[in-house]
Amino acid sequence: MPLGTVALVGYTNAGKSTLFNSLSRAGVLVSSKMFATLDPTVRAVRLPSNRRVLLSDTVGFIRDLPPGLIAAFRATLEEVQESALILLVTDISNPHHTEQDAEVEKILKELGVADRPRLHVLNKIDRLTPEEAAAVNGNQNSSRVSGLTGEGLEALLRRIDEAMPVDPLLHLHFTLPLSNGRAIALVHALGRVLHSEVRDSTMAIEAEIPESVARQLRIAPEPTLA
Ligand SMILES: Nc1nc2c(ncn2[C@@H]2O[C@H](COP(=O)(O)OP(=O)(O)O)[C@@H](O)[C@H]2O)c(=O)[nH]1
Ligand SMILES: [Mg+2]
């Protein structure tokens, strides 16, 4: 059961947050409560194949970001850098969408993720006339959708399923500090916890978790005592 993180990126107003909400509804939200309290921009979503992925919303990409903001901006985009798959969301109804995508592309390069597996999401297809919509060429790496009406979302979820790299489950014993609620929630949402036990201020866990999650949380296997 391969797993990982899918990051939504795109210019401000492209419809990322709307898609974040409609995709997590369409994809059967899991562990919503656990995540809502920890990080409102990350949700676990089940794909048509039944595997789970984390979907991550990001702040808008704006033109000419002041240099002073770049550090803060980078920090919020850590999720993008650690993602297995990037969804580049375009407002296809905006006459400047080509320019906007070029700006986003620059930032993806800056973040060092220009080569990350990617799907292009042509959003707001509902705002086009049938003639305009027909002229928008979808291809293997692009999906025409409307985050507002839900059109194309099931097909997009299937694309995501196909595009996610294989991410094997590892059977690990490890401990996490109880103060690291985010990590504990991640392990429970994306892995299969076989045993857990609170010891002082840590949680000792035996679980099957995806390799990507182990890497992200820097969980190293602990020698099991014979
Ligand atoms: N017509 C239409 N409007 C949309 C669609 N997706 C988003 N919007 C609208 O576009 C605006 C920006 O959406 P939002 O999700 O906040 O964009 P973000 O800045 O990329 O997160 C909002 O007014 C949304 O209601 C869509 O598929 N169709
Ligand atoms: Mg948003």
Side-chain angles (χ1 to χ4, degrees), residues 99-146:
E99 268 177 271
Q100 294 180 336
D101 280 354
E103 295 294 324
V104 174
E105 193 65 49
K106 268 193 218 161
I107 294 170
L108 292 177
K109 278 214 182 80
E110 257 193 56
L111 291 171
V113 294
D115 299 331
R116 199 60 55 88
R118 193 195 294 186
L119 294 176
H120 197 178
V121 181
L122 310 176
N123 191 36
K124 306 199 189 181
I125 198 81
D126 62 287
R127 296 191 66 193
L128 302 185
T129 64
E131 295 74 33
E132 287 170 333
V136 173
N137 286 321
N139 63 41
Q140 227 189 337
N141 290 313
S142 69
S143 294
R144 302 189 293 181
V145 309
S146 167

Side-chain angles (χ1 to χ4, degrees), residues 130-179:
E131 295 74 33
E132 287 170 333
V136 173
N137 286 321
N139 63 41
Q140 227 189 337
N141 290 313
S142 69
S143 294
R144 302 189 293 181
V145 309
S146 167
L148 207 62
T149 68
E151 185 183 343
L153 294 188
E154 287 299 330
L156 175 57
L157 284 167
R158 284 196 298 275
R159 285 266 171 88
I160 294 172
D161 225 345
E162 288 162 10
M164 285 301 283
V166 172
D167 188 6
L169 282 181
L170 304 178
H171 188 149
L172 297 172
H173 293 79
F174 54 93
T175 57
L176 291 170
L178 286 179
S179 57

Side-chain angles (χ1 to χ4, degrees), residues 42-61:
V42 178
R43 282 187 200 153
V45 166
R46 201 186 296 276
L47 297 176
S49 68
N50 222 17
R51 61 182 167 162
R52 296 172 182 187
V53 292
L54 280 189
L55 188 63
S56 170
D57 194 8
T58 67
V59 295
F61 282 33

Side-chain angles (χ1 to χ4, degrees), residues 11 16-17 35 41-42 46 49 56 62 64 77 86 111-113 139 141 156 183 185 190 192 206-207 209 214:
Y11 205 77
K16 298 177 294 299
S17 299
F35 275 97
T41 67
V42 178
R46 201 186 296 276
S49 68
S56 170
I62 55 169
D64 298 331
L77 293 181
I86 290 174
L111 291 171
V113 294
N139 63 41
N141 290 313
L156 175 57
L190 292 184
R192 202 157 77 87
E206 176 186 1
I209 57 173

